Amino acid sequence: VQLQASGGGLVQAGGSLSLSCVASGRSFSHYVMDWFRQAPGKEREFVAAIRPNGDMSYYADSVKGRFTISRDNAKNTVYLQMNSLKPEDTAVYYCAAGPWGLYHQNAMYFWGKGTQVTVSS
């Protein structure tokens, strides 16, 4: 599976952005999909995950209530809707495929190239 994230950009604090991640390959619907982010000088951290059929999702405490992960298996795409953005959300955002219940970067099977999100104060 190859992953390609897009949708990043520059936004003011309090604003919104929507990220997309398109997967190649016919097995997309079999995978848990995740979003991670990495700020300069920091480790890559988990943001959100969604189960293969979209029936359950899980969020990092830092984004809970502000971010929403969703997926469209017919389009091989996973989304991350980000609302009420804060300067501390500034990071490169990555999509990944991995196991349900393990939310560390080392547990992921596949990674996409990241997309930069910058939130100005």
Side-chain angles (χ1 to χ4, degrees):
V1 175
Q2 292 187 323
L3 306 173
Q4 179 64 57
S6 63
L10 173 64
V11 64
Q12 287 190 332
S16 299
L17 276 177
S18 181
L19 306 183
S20 300
C21 174
V22 179
S24 63
R26 290 178 288 181
S27 57
F28 173 80
S29 62
H30 297 169
Y31 289 102
V32 173
M33 295 301 299
D34 302 73
W35 286 97
F36 282 73
R37 66 186 182 186
Q38 188 167 19
K42 294 189 176 181
E43 280 197 3
R44 194 169 297 188
E45 65 173 3
F46 169 79
V47 174
I50 187 166
R51 299 221 308 186
N53 63 0
D55 65 331
M56 192 175 294
S57 54
Y58 182 76
Y59 297 91
D61 287 343
S62 58
V63 306
K64 202 174 293 183
R66 299 188 298 122
F67 290 11
T68 302
I69 188 172
S70 61
R71 66 191 295 160
D72 185 340
N73 288 342
K75 296 182 178 180
N76 278 11
T77 303
V78 61
Y79 305 96
L80 185 69
Q81 177 65 40
M82 305 184 294
N83 298 329
S84 302
L85 283 161
K86 305 175 182 180
E88 50 263 44
D89 295 318
T90 295
V92 177
Y93 283 70
Y94 299 88
C95 57
W100 182 252
L102 291 178
Y103 306 121
H104 191 275
Q105 58 175 326
N106 292 342
M108 297 299 109
Y109 308 138
F110 310 107
W111 289 95
K113 292 185 179 180
T115 185
Q116 175 71 47
V117 172
T118 303
V119 184
S120 63
S121 57

